[in-house]
Amino acid sequence: MSAPKSYFFRSFLIVLLSAVFFLGVKRVLPKRIFSEKAGATKNVLIDSMLIDAFEAEKDSAQAGIGDTLGNQPITYYATNGIKFPEEQYEDYKGDQYLISFYEKLYQLETAQNGNVRIAYFGDSMTDGDMIVQDLRNNFQHKYGGKGVGFVAITSESAASRSSVIHEFSSNWKMQSYLNVKNPARPFGINGHVFFANDTNHIAWVKYKSGKYTTQLDNPTLFYGSSENKKGEISYVVGKDTLRKKLVTDNLLNTLNLSQNGLKSVKIDFKSARSIPVYGFNFDDGKGVHIDNFSQRGNSGIPISNFDVSLMKAFQKKLNYDLIVLHYGTNVLNYGTKNYNWYEKSMTRTVNRLRECFPGVSILIISTADKATKYDTEMKTDSAVVPLSNAQKHYALKTASGFVNLYTLMGGDGSMVKWVEEEPAMANKDYTHFNFRGAKKVAAMLYSQLNAGYEQFKQLRKSTEGKAESDEHPIDSIAPDNANPDDEE
């Protein structure tokens, strides 16, 4: 019997010593090993401006405008004689505010020349050109156009993007509007600025045609101003090695690599220290082009840091007709159902975009459905509807078009169905779409835009007929956003 007693004594002593050791070490351990605050990891980023906006107004209890507009019809004043029918707040789309975009589509469709360009800003939902590549393909199939548009110098999602094959050296210095408030030089249209500041090794970037494309049309470099006049690039076309100087005299400069399309191109940057580089554009100048400016962790708020002068320079070169803001994925996890703080911040963002791109239509896309486990069942996260309502609020407040993606998906419980039904259209995180689901989302977005455009054409046709028989010109009708209180 002595052996069991000895074993019991040793076991008791080990447990006692372990408890003493834990109590001693506990005094120097952090209270939580994993922080409860939103933070950044290598692959998941949360922009600093989102955190600042939430912390500044997290105790606010102000109601959104939907509380007062929910039962009121939304009526419009005519724009160039065209007025869409009134809408119920619940079904708000705001096609009235997309008239300038629809008019450009109409001119493209009827005259069959020129082009229409869309800037699509998003978060991880459009990572790897998801959704956007299919939306681009839908538009180009109907209206023409070739090319993937604007592509950054480096990208965290390059490996997962199939619409263009994108490689780059590891020695680029990049600053992003997600986590840098005062960049060395202003951020480009994609929210980044890149520098080839490694004097010991050449910084390079390589692009190759991918899905939906057979070549890189009209490859053009976009870069900024600098006192450095020695910078140059070199690249190979066929059997020839070409070298071109980087002329840095203007706020925004462009350099065309070839008038003809290239299957692929690798560009070396030499003596380019301190020259801000933004990216390359690939398009044939015809039809419709959609640039994907996605970034993981983005809430949309950092866009309010855009430099107005530089953006106007980008607009002069690229000539956007529609700006899409597709955000929400990174805004749902803040333990609140009051998104007044986000509505305020995004209102400032849209107002800044209107400064940067005067007269350009803006379209807000709401958060998609997202499922969270409640007890043992996956259900629509309780923050989805409040956030989508806040997004509708600032869309209406800023005279922007609106797509309720949550409703288009099927509303309550739709993400669970998209994940669990066969074939699955979303990932097991119950947040992000797979390629099949992204294609369906793109089709739904295109369908709503196309429906608005078809209605626009009917209204335009009836307006033309009225103008021919009316003594008064079309422009005599009250402009969009006119204040009825100003009328005598």
Side-chain angles (χ1 to χ4, degrees), residues 293-313:
F293 301 131
S294 65
Q295 187 168 12
R296 300 171 190 173
N298 197 354
S299 68
I301 299 175
I303 293 174
S304 61
N305 266 350
F306 272 164
D307 180 85
V308 175
S309 297
L310 181 58
M311 290 305 106
K312 285 184 175 180

Side-chain angles (χ1 to χ4, degrees), residues 437-449:
K439 188 171 185 178
K440 182 174 181 177
V441 170
M444 293 189 298
L445 299 179
Y446 179 78
S447 178
Q448 179 169 323
L449 284 170

Side-chain angles (χ1 to χ4, degrees), residues 259-279:
Q259 296 294 334
N260 301 316
L262 304 175
K263 292 288 185 181
S264 66
V265 61
K266 178 177 178 288
I267 307 99
D268 293 334
F269 286 76
K270 302 177 180 179
S271 303
R273 184 178 179 86
S274 79
I275 298 176
V277 184
Y278 298 118

Side-chain angles (χ1 to χ4, degrees), residues 17-238:
L17 290 174
S18 299
V20 171
F21 176 78
F22 174 75
L23 291 173
V25 172
K26 181 182 178 182
R27 301 169 68 180
V28 297
L29 286 174
K31 291 183 178 180
R32 292 182 178 86
I33 296 177
F34 301 103
S35 173
E36 292 182 339
K37 292 185 177 180
T41 67
K42 181 178 180 180
N43 296 313
V44 180
L45 300 173
I46 299 295
D47 67 71
S48 60
M49 293 188 71
L50 173 64
I51 298 173
D52 291 345
F54 175 71
E55 291 295 330
E57 297 198 40
K58 64 182 178 181
D59 296 325
S60 172
Q62 297 181 35
I65 63 173
D67 296 329
T68 59
L69 293 182
N71 297 321
Q72 298 180 24
I74 299 168
T75 58
Y76 301 106
Y77 289 94
T79 300
N80 295 330
I82 299 173
K83 183 171 73 170
F84 277 79
E86 71 176 30
E87 295 182 281
Q88 295 300 313
Y89 176 78
E90 184 67 23
D91 303 317
Y92 173 70
K93 295 184 177 67
D95 286 321
Q96 181 75 30
Y97 303 126
L98 304 183
I99 283 180
S100 64
F101 167 65
Y102 290 148
E103 179 64 27
K104 284 296 295 290
L105 271 183
Y106 180 79
Q107 295 300 329
L108 175 62
E109 183 180 31
T110 55
Q112 297 182 344
N113 58 36
N115 63 78
V116 171
R117 195 174 198 100
I118 301 171
Y120 199 118
F121 293 90
D123 51 28
S124 56
M125 282 295 189
T126 56
D127 200 39
D129 217 16
M130 296 274 279
I131 299 175
V132 181
Q133 66 181 5
D134 294 300
L135 184 64
R136 182 188 301 117
N137 189 49
N138 290 338
F139 270 104
Q140 291 182 344
H141 179 75
K142 181 174 181 179
Y143 299 99
K146 297 178 182 178
V148 296
F150 198 96
V151 185
I153 295 297
T154 74
S155 171
E156 60 195 355
S157 62
S160 62
R161 182 170 184 172
S162 60
S163 55
V164 63
I165 310 304
H166 183 194
E167 302 175 69
F168 43 86
S169 60
S170 60
N171 57 338
W172 283 97
K173 178 183 178 182
M174 183 271 287
Q175 290 188 316
S176 164
Y177 62 0
L178 252 68
N179 44 38
V180 176
K181 294 182 180 179
N182 299 299
R185 300 301 300 275
F187 299 118
I189 185 69
N190 52 10
H192 299 79
V193 57
F194 303 89
F195 298 94
N197 282 354
D198 187 344
T199 56
N200 296 319
H201 305 88
I202 292 176
W204 57 267
V205 60
K206 180 179 180 180
Y207 304 96
K208 183 179 179 182
S209 59
K211 188 176 181 180
Y212 302 134
T213 60
T214 57
Q215 62 182 14
L216 302 171
D217 295 282
N218 195 32
T220 304
L221 170 66
F222 282 68
Y223 61 102
S225 62
S226 174
E227 294 181 359
N228 180 0
K229 307 301 178 183
K230 298 180 179 180
E232 66 175 24
I233 60 171
S234 66
Y235 56 100
V236 176
V237 176

Side-chain angles (χ1 to χ4, degrees), residues 7-19:
Y7 177 79
F8 174 80
F9 177 76
R10 288 199 300 271
S11 300
F12 176 78
L13 185 61
I14 291 172
V15 171
L16 179 63
L17 290 174
S18 299

Side-chain angles (χ1 to χ4, degrees), residues 372-392:
T372 300
K373 181 174 284 188
Y374 293 96
D375 294 328
T376 59
E377 187 178 357
M378 297 299 293
K379 298 180 181 179
T380 289
D381 192 288
S382 60
V384 168
V385 172
L387 176 56
S388 63
N389 284 336
Q391 291 172 310
K392 186 192 298 184

